[in-house]
């Protein structure tokens, strides 16, 4: 009986008085610390956003009832972000993570407005006393993924479905090509640009166009597993991105570059809670575990696994660095002399493809 | 059997009663869904209204969403009133943004008094020109404007992506290290930032302000000018328009251009009021052009109603994001928003049509019925 | 069919109608527009379901829930407006939506079907190429395809709705021949028409409907056109309106066509070197079977169609071709054949429709702004003067009856003080009172000195109103005769192209 009565009251109140009503949010003494995430995609996208949401769940798991997390998904880049941040601040969130580059301007504006709230921007460059920036060096894992692709390809023709022709993506493709060439000398990586981070339809079409051109292993820098679905249809081996996507197509799954945002999130939320939070630019890598490769698929031979694992250890220990000369560009000209390591500034603004990549680093 | 018949006269009390009724309907339906999913309907509704409209700063935030929707809604209304189906407000908005940001970059050292009118004008002109393409194709080659204007949305999207991501265009920032790492447009100088008018503590974006005048202008145009009369005739019957000596082809191009000008103004406002940079990803994610079609349809193509509906949808959008959370998925928010719009449309139907319950024709063979024949 | 009743909101379309057709007869269903002929045939073909009454086919009661049921019962219909897929071949149209043994599953066997079609066509003397695409065919040929389609589907009862309205006299003759062959085989033909002559010529029996009611069924050989007309209209048909003769030599030539040639919408020659004059105060009637260039003639004079050669002059001034605005500015008024949709904008109010041509000038729109008060005053005035009955000037025009729509049209066209009025089928589909009123308005206008070109298929109307009669056939003027000297038989021959 209770529910119908409640329902009727609700209807009346909302229809007639709802407009005027205000709730006094009950402030309890032992309120949990509130942390929030803003996503450009959906939390269950099997890709970029899910990787972040897994991190959020880790925070809830490890910090327990002391923390209350929430998230806003499908937030379009632009002025809407500011409204969402305002809303989160009003709800009492004390640390806000934004996980798309396009959120940066709004985050910077809001950080200036709310000095008592900590802001964290994934992929960006603006920082302030309460605005930090974080990202991961995916290229380390991309190199290892490239090794798996090279080994899986018989003809040495690898396809890659890539989002935007920007340095971040260009260096990832280069890392894939360099890795592939270690397990399959002379392997090529053919690139198709989708001009989107997340659009399963476009990604699938791009993958299909590569497959129809005869690539026999395919990788991706996209945030959805649509490439894998296309590859599954023709039985071509596939490497994923962002999260472990092996359940999409276990038979063709090789491995993939994955982000483990969780440990970073746990650390930062803890710091915000105990007051030791400081701004900064964090560039995680395979050494600290922010970047890794996903578990191998069943088709990856033990010898290849051993080879990749050995390289991973070398990357972790710093005894190996993938962007070390000699590196040639697409025309065969030496760009980085033998023995020279590329600087961080150089790889962050990389706008050329290494030898063996087919496609234009300017898009198209 | 249920039959739906058009009302010959729309009674006055219905015009008032139906919106209230459909609101109550929306509350009932959504409350059922909320209870079924374990949420408190009262709190949900309160939060939606509060955060969408009534709490401090909420209405200003709603205006941010409502401004582009108002202008694209007017764009759709302007064309649809003449039964010209401009589905291309999305692309016209992009082009307006390109035009406005381009002129603002060119005039970056000039004063606001020059830059802002130039941006408004550039948005109007580029949007109008982009819309004139499907208009001219329709008028002179009889292509379907629904398809051509829709296709030009994709072209427009590719164009703005190209300008920032795939080329070293005039719009792209190339001078700093970060801009080489992350492709982005040139940020406009402060003189290109449109003013926000403070009215009773609410910040009204300049674009919304223009939009209200534009709505009044559109209403006057259709109601009391030769241009509007001709458009109404064409909208009702092309052959009657031809018969009456109306230059239908020119009119189609003109109305498409007018429609595109509104959408282009929306793009200029996105740049001048809010973004201050040509932002291909954000503009495409927002899909204000398609939202404008919904606005115009809900507003029955009435320009003043477009203002109200744009505010409603803007508030619903903001309030919707406010509802979202770890235990309140975006899908449920979308369901609630959909229910509200559905009830509004159903109510709309009731104003114009009556629903009759009756037996299906052809079943009755009773002689009693025969006696009544002839009375009509 | 026994005791068929069908009601629509506000009207009873059929009331207790009994109708029977025998094997081997051509049974004509005769009645004015709106008498309920179409409703009855739609019930018979399963499109509508009767509110009351029953249908028996060969003594067995049937209930049609859809047109498919009717087809299966052997009833086929040829509609006035053909229902063919224009880009498909004749043979494909015949099998569209129809299942039979020639289908091997999903695949059509074009050769088998084409063979059968050719055989049917030969048997009923309906020459048509089974491989031709429908859009390539003439109207007459398309009608043959429709008939073949019905036969192909095994129709024992064939219903034809006004089948001759788009045909030339020769094509009509051929059609009648075909119908006779079909009934000779024991099929039944139901022939819907409102034309007395052809009913007399082709049918075995005639059933007359009036205002949804059955008036009676008679044997054709025991009746005559006069009796049928009385049954159809309910009284002897006499229109009192008659034109006073004018001596044309004393009047100026207002409308002058010289060597006018124009194409139809399909790009065929619709008008060939037409010479025609109309004097002030004169009514010239254009007689002829529909589709012989009447529409194009009206359209070239009113600027709605371009000339390919020749000139149209109004009061001595040559008119710009293909520009309706030029015609309006030169005081040419036009009552088009298609009233609702061309003559008026249906959803616009009566008031707006009354300024459809004058809106662009003062006093309605000085400086480009419409004056709502003047538009309304204009409407109130014209509605009173032309006796237009409607709830008010803001009523959407589509809600008016046909007669009132025509009065709105005439009010607008005549109040602009035209020099020339082109009236195409101005009384078609109107009831007797409205017809009378419209004819009265035309005569009044002529008396005021307007030069009127009256295009009508109704020869009686032309004989009543026109001073001179021109016959149009195949886009040519076959001859012009003065009314006093006109002999109906001669006109008929000219209309058939035989003069």
């Amino acid at each position: 009986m209770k529910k119908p009565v409640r329902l009727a009251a609700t209807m009346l109140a909302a229809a007639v008085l709802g407009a005027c009503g205000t709730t006094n949010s009950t402030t309890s003494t032992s309120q949990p610390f509130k942390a929030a995430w803003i996503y450009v995609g959906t939390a269950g996208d099997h890709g970029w956003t899910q990787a972040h949401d897994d991190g959020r769940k880790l925070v809830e798991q490890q910090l327990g009832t002391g923390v209350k997390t929430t998230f806003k998904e499908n937030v379009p880049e632009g002025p809407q972000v500011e409204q969402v941040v305002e809303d989160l601040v009003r709800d009492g969130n004390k640390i806000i993570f934004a996980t798309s580059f396009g959120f940066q301007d709004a985050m910077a504006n809001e950080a200036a407005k709310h000095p008592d709230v900590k802001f964290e921007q994934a992929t960006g460059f603006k920082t302030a006393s309460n605005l930090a920036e974080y990202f991961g060096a995916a290229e380390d894992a991309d190199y290892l993924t490239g090794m798996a692709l090279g080994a899986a390809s018989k003809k040495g023709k690898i396809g890659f479905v890539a989002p935007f022709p920007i340095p971040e993506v260009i260096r990832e493709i280069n890392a894939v090509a360099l890795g592939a060439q270690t397990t399959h000398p002379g392997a090529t990586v053919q690139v198709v640009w989708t001009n989107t981070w997340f659009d399963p339809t476009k990604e699938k079409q791009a993958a299909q166009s590569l497959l129809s051109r005869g690539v026999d292993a395919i990788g991706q820098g996209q945030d959805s597993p649509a490439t894998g679905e296309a590859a599954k249809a023709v039985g071509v081996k596939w490497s994923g991105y962002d999260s472990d996507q092996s359940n999409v197509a276990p038979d063709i799954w090789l491995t993939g570059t994955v982000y483990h945002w969780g440990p970073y999130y746990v650390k930062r939320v803890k710091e915000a809670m105990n007051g030791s939070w400081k701004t900064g630019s964090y560039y995680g890598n395979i050494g600290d575990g922010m970047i890794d490769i996903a578990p191998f698929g069943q088709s990856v031979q033990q010898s290849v696994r051993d080879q990749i694992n050995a390289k991973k250890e070398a990357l972790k220990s710093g005894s190996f660095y993938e962007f070390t000369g000699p590196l040639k560009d697409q025309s065969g000209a030496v760009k980085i002399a033998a023995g020279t390591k590329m600087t961080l500034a150089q790889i962050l603004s990389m706008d050329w493809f290494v030898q063996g990549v087919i496609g234009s680093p300017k898009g198209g | 059997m249920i039959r739906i018949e058009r009302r010959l006269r729309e009674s006055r009390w219905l015009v008032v009663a139906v919106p209230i009724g459909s609101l109550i309907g929306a509350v009932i339906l959504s409350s059922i869904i909320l209870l079924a999913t374990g949420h408190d309907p009262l709190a949900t509704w309160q939060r939606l209204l509060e955060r969408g409209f009534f709490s401090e700063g909420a209405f200003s935030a709603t205006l941010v969403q409502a401004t582009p929707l108002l202008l694209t809604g007017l764009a759709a209304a302007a064309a649809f009133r003449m039964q010209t189906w401009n589905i291309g407000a999305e692309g016209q908005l992009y082009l307006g943004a390109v035009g406005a940001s381009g002129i603002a970059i060119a005039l970056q050292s000039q004063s606001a008094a020059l830059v802002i009118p130039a941006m408004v004008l550039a948005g109007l002109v580029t949007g109008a020109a982009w819309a004139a393409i499907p208009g001219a194709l329709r008028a002179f080659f009889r292509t379907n404007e629904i398809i051509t204007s829709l296709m030009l949305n994709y072209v427009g999207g590719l164009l703005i992506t190209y300008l920032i991501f795939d080329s070293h265009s005039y719009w792209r920032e190339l001078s700093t290290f970060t801009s080489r790492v992350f492709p982005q447009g040139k940020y406009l100088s402060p003189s290109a930032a449109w003013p926000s008018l403070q009215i009773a503590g609410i910040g009204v974006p300049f674009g919304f302000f223009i939009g209200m005048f534009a709505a009044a202008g559109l209403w006057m145009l259709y109601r009391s000018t030769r241009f509007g009369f001709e458009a109404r005739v064409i909208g009702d019957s092309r052959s009657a328009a031809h018969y009456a000596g109306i230059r239908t082809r020119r009119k189609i191009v003109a109305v498409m251009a007018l429609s595109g000008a509104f959408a282009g103004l929306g793009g200029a406002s996105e740049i001048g009021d809010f973004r201050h940079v040509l932002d291909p990803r954000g503009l495409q994610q927002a899909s204000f052009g398609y939202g404008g079609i919904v606005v115009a349809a809900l507003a029955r193509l009435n320009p003043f109603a477009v203002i109200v509906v744009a505010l409603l949808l803007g508030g619903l959008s903001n309030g919707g994001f406010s509802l979202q959370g770890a235990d309140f998925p975006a899908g449920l928010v979308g369901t609630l928003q959909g229910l509200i719009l559905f009830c509004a449309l159903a109510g709309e139907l009731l104003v114009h049509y009556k629903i009759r319950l009756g037996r299906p024709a052809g079943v009755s063979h009773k002689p009693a019925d025969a006696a009544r024949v002839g009375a009509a | 069919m026994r005791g068929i009743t069908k009601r629509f909101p506000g009207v009873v379309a059929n009331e207790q109608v009994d109708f029977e057709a025998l094997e081997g007869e051509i049974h004509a269903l005769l009645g004015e527009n709106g008498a309920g002929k179409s409703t009855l045939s739609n019930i018979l073909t399963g499109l509508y379901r009767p509110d009351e009454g029953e249908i028996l086919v060969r003594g067995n009661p049937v209930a049609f829930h859809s047109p498919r049921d009717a087809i299966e019962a052997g009833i086929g219909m040829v509609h006035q407006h053909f229902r063919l897929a224009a880009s498909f071949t004749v043979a494909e149209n015949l099998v569209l939506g129809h299942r039979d043994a020639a289908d091997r599953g999903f695949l059509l066997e074009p050769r088998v079907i084409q063979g059968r079609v050719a055989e049917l066509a030969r048997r009923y003397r309906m020459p048509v190429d089974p491989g031709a695409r429908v859009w390539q065919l003439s109207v007459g040929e398309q009608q043959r395809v429709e008939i073949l389609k019905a036969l192909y589907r095994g129709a024992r009862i064939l219903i034809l709705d006004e089948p001759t309205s788009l045909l030339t006299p020769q094509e009509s003759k051929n059609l009648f021949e075909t119908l006779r062959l079909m009934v000779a085989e024991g099929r039944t033909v139901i022939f819907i028409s409102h034309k007395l002559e052809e009913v007399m010529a082709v049918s075995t029996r005639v059933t007359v409907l009036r205002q949804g009611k059955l008036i009676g069924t008679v044997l054709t050989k025991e009746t005559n056109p006069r009796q049928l007309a009385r049954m159809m209209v309910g009284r002897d048909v006499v229109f009192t309106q008659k034109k006073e003769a004018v001596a044309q030599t004393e009047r100026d030539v207002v409308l002058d066509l010289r060597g006018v040639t124009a194409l139809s919408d399909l790009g065929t020659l619709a008008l060939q070197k037409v010479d025609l004059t109309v004097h002030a105060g004169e009514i010239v009637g254009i007689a002829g079977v529909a589709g012989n260039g009447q529409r194009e003639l009206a359209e070239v004079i009113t600027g709605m169609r371009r000339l390919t050669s020749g000139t149209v002059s109004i009061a001595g001034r040559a008119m710009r071709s293909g520009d309706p605005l030029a015609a309006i500015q030169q005081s040419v008024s036009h009552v088009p054949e298609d009233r609702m949709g061309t003559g008026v904008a249906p959803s616009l109010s009566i008031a707006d429709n009354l300024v459809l041509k004058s809106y662009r000038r003062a006093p309605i729109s000085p400086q480009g702004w419409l004056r709502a008060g003047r538009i309304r005053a204009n409407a109130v005035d014209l509605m009173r003067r032309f006796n237009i009955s409607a709830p008010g000037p803001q009523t959407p025009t589509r809600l008016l009856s046909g007669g009132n729509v025509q009065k709105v049209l005439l009010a607008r066209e005549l109040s602009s003080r035209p020099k020339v009025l082109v009236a195409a089928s101005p009384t078609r589909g109107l009831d007797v009172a409205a017809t009378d009123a419209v004819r009265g308005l035309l005569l009044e206008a002529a008396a005021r000195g307007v030069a009127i070109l009256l295009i009508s298929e109704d020869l009686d109307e032309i004989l009543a109103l026109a001073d001179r009669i021109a016959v149009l056939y195949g886009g040519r003027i076959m001859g012009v005769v003065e009314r006093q000297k006109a002999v109906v038989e001669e006109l008929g021959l000219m209309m058939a192209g035989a003069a």
Side-chain angles (χ1 to χ4, degrees), chain B residues 226 230 232 236-237 243-244 364, chain C residues 51 334 341 347 352 359 365:
Chain B
R226 281 180 204 164
E230 293 179 344
R232 267 157 54 207
D236 192 35
S237 163
Y243 162 80
S364 148
Chain C
D51 295 332
H334 182 195
S347 296
D352 282 345
Y359 74 91
S365 66

Side-chain angles (χ1 to χ4, degrees), chain A:
Chain A
M1 267 320 282
K2 209 174 172 186
K3 275 194 172 174
V5 173
R6 180 71 192 265
L7 176 63
T10 301
M11 278 149 20
L12 268 179
V16 185
L17 304 165
C20 327
T22 44
T23 34
N24 293 321
S25 52
T26 47
T27 38
S28 103
T29 43
S30 62
Q31 229 184 2
F33 185 83
K34 286 183 163 180
W37 278 255
I38 306 176
Y39 302 142
V40 72
T42 56
D45 68 354
H46 294 280
W48 174 257
T49 299
Q50 185 158 336
H52 287 284
D53 202 52
D54 288 345
R56 179 188 67 84
K57 285 178 185 152
L58 191 73
V59 171
E60 286 223 316
Q61 221 176 68
Q62 296 205 346
L63 303 185
T65 51
V67 174
K68 173 112 182 69
T69 71
T70 190
F71 65 87
K72 306 286 181 187
E73 58 188 348
N74 274 335
V75 178
E77 294 169 7
Q80 183 84 66
V81 183
E82 296 186 28
Q83 323 306 347
V84 168
V85 172
E86 283 293 325
D87 193 64
L88 288 169
V89 170
R90 186 169 306 198
D91 283 341
N93 290 286
K94 291 295 170 204
I95 185 163
I96 297 171
F97 296 89
T99 63
S100 181
F101 175 71
F103 294 160
Q104 178 172 246
D105 287 354
M107 287 290 278
N109 293 344
E110 290 297 312
K113 268 192 227 165
H114 302 286
D116 56 328
V117 178
K118 313 290 181 242
F119 292 86
E120 294 254 3
Q121 166 70 35
T123 74
F125 53 85
K126 289 185 180 172
T127 54
S129 62
N130 62 336
L131 171 61
E133 183 253 315
Y134 63 101
F135 194 37
E139 53 270 25
D140 295 351
D142 288 327
Y143 185 85
L144 303 173
T145 302
M147 290 174 71
L149 284 166
S153 169
K154 291 193 179 65
K155 295 186 280 183
K157 289 175 76 174
I158 297 164
F160 196 85
V161 182
F164 289 95
I166 63 175
E168 174 191 334
V169 177
I170 288 168
R171 70 171 177 268
E172 294 202 47
I173 295 168
N174 284 338
V176 167
L178 293 173
Q181 285 158 6
T182 62
T183 50
H184 195 122
T188 60
V189 175
Q190 191 160 8
V191 177
V192 168
W193 301 108
T194 60
N195 273 322
T196 177
W197 295 108
F198 180 83
D199 184 337
T201 314
K202 273 192 192 170
E203 294 171 28
K204 195 166 185 173
Q205 284 167 355
Q208 282 163 345
S209 84
L210 283 168
L211 292 164
S212 70
R213 283 184 243 169
V215 304
D216 61 355
I218 191 163
Q220 67 177 73
Q222 300 290 153
D223 293 342
S224 98
T227 301
E229 283 165 20
K232 186 162 79 173
V234 290
V236 165
K237 295 286 185 291
W238 160 62
S239 70
Y241 196 71
D242 293 325
S243 319
D244 180 2
Q245 298 162 322
S246 56
N247 56 350
V248 172
D251 295 342
I252 58 163
W253 173 258
L254 294 171
T255 180
T257 300
V258 296
Y259 294 89
H260 293 308
W261 305 103
Y264 178 77
Y265 288 152
V266 171
K267 174 168 162 276
R268 298 299 273 175
V269 172
K270 264 190 198 158
E271 287 170 359
M273 287 170 83
N274 63 29
S276 64
W277 189 95
K278 280 197 180 55
T279 185
S281 293
Y282 185 76
Y283 196 53
N285 57 35
I286 204 160
D288 64 18
M290 185 180 264
I291 300 298
D292 201 350
I293 52 170
F296 291 114
Q298 61 214 26
S299 71
V300 183
Q301 292 166 2
Q302 193 55 47
S303 59
V304 179
R305 294 182 189 208
D306 294 343
Q307 209 180 343
I308 293 173
N309 282 332
K311 212 55 145 187
K312 181 170 158 186
E313 289 314 310
L315 278 165
K316 274 185 167 177
S317 67
S319 62
F320 173 74
Y321 179 53
E322 63 273 25
F323 290 117
T324 306
L327 293 179
K328 292 178 182 171
D329 70 6
Q330 281 171 300
S331 68
V334 176
K335 286 286 269 195
I336 305 295
T340 313
K341 283 186 175 183
M342 286 180 78
T343 65
L344 186 62
Q346 274 176 323
I347 68 159
L348 286 182
S349 57
M350 194 180 252
D351 58 359
W352 53 277
F353 276 142
V354 299
Q355 197 167 30
V357 178
I358 302 168
S360 163
K362 289 189 174 64

Side-chain angles (χ1 to χ4, degrees), chain A residues 6-7 10-11 13-15 18-19 21-23 40 56 69-80 83-84 87 90-91 100-101 105 123-125 164-168 195 197 345 348-349 362-363, chain B residues 24 27-28 31 35 40-42 45-47 49-51 54-56 61 64-65 161 165-166 177-178 180-184 187 270 274-275 279 281-282 285-286 317-318 321-326 329-330:
Chain A
R6 180 71 192 265
L7 176 63
T10 301
M11 278 149 20
T22 44
T23 34
V40 72
R56 179 188 67 84
T69 71
T70 190
F71 65 87
K72 306 286 181 187
E73 58 188 348
N74 274 335
V75 178
E77 294 169 7
Q80 183 84 66
Q83 323 306 347
V84 168
D87 193 64
R90 186 169 306 198
D91 283 341
S100 181
F101 175 71
D105 287 354
T123 74
F125 53 85
F164 289 95
I166 63 175
E168 174 191 334
N195 273 322
W197 295 108
L348 286 182
S349 57
K362 289 189 174 64
Chain B
I24 294 172
V27 171
I28 294 172
S31 298
L35 284 172
D40 179 352
L42 183 63
W45 273 88
Q46 204 165 40
R47 188 174 165 95
L49 291 171
E50 217 184 286
R51 293 295 172 87
F54 300 106
S55 66
E56 194 198 335
V64 173
Q65 298 305 307
T161 302
F165 286 98
D166 298 345
F177 176 73
T178 53
R180 282 198 293 279
V181 177
F182 302 99
Q184 57 189 274
Y187 279 82
E270 277 296 299
F274 311 118
R275 294 179 198 261
D279 170 14
R281 274 169 51 72
Q285 284 165 7
S317 162
N318 279 340
F321 276 114
S322 179
L323 288 184
Q324 253 197 47

Side-chain angles (χ1 to χ4, degrees), chain C residues 20-160:
Chain C
E20 62 160 24
L22 306 172
E23 277 190 0
E25 76 165 346
I26 299 180
H27 194 132
L29 194 54
L30 184 70
E32 286 195 298
N33 288 316
K37 297 171 303 201
S38 297
T39 307
L40 196 65
S41 58
N42 283 332
I43 289 170
L44 194 49
T45 52
L47 224 54
Y48 296 154
R49 299 172 71 183
D51 295 332
E52 286 163 34
E54 57 180 345
I55 304 169
L56 297 103
V57 176
R58 270 174 233 102
N60 306 317
V62 288
F64 297 151
H65 299 283
S66 73
R68 188 170 283 273
D69 294 347
I71 290 168
E72 276 165 14
I75 298 175
M77 171 132 188
V78 175
H79 293 270
Q80 211 173 342
H81 303 286
F82 305 139
R83 291 160 189 210
L84 298 170
S87 58
F88 284 24
T89 66
V90 171
E92 283 165 346
N93 265 285
L94 259 56
V95 297
L96 264 185
H98 178 58
R99 247 186 251 156
D100 75 353
D103 295 355
R104 297 283 147 76
F106 198 65
L107 294 169
L108 301 174
E109 298 215 350
R111 236 178 291 149
V112 177
I113 298 162
Q114 293 199 359
R116 282 195 194 188
V117 174
E119 199 254 299
L120 269 178
R122 253 195 317 279
R123 201 157 110 210
Y124 296 105
R125 296 192 203 145
M126 289 189 285
V128 62
D129 170 11
R133 304 213 172 255
V134 164
W135 59 267
Q136 298 167 318
L137 303 180
S138 73
V139 175
E141 287 172 315
Q142 289 185 29
Q143 187 178 57
R144 283 178 222 149
V145 177
E146 281 279 15
I147 295 171
L148 283 172
K149 188 163 92 180
L151 293 176
Y152 186 84
R153 292 175 180 196
R156 299 289 304 164
I157 303 171
L158 187 69
I159 307 169
L160 296 125

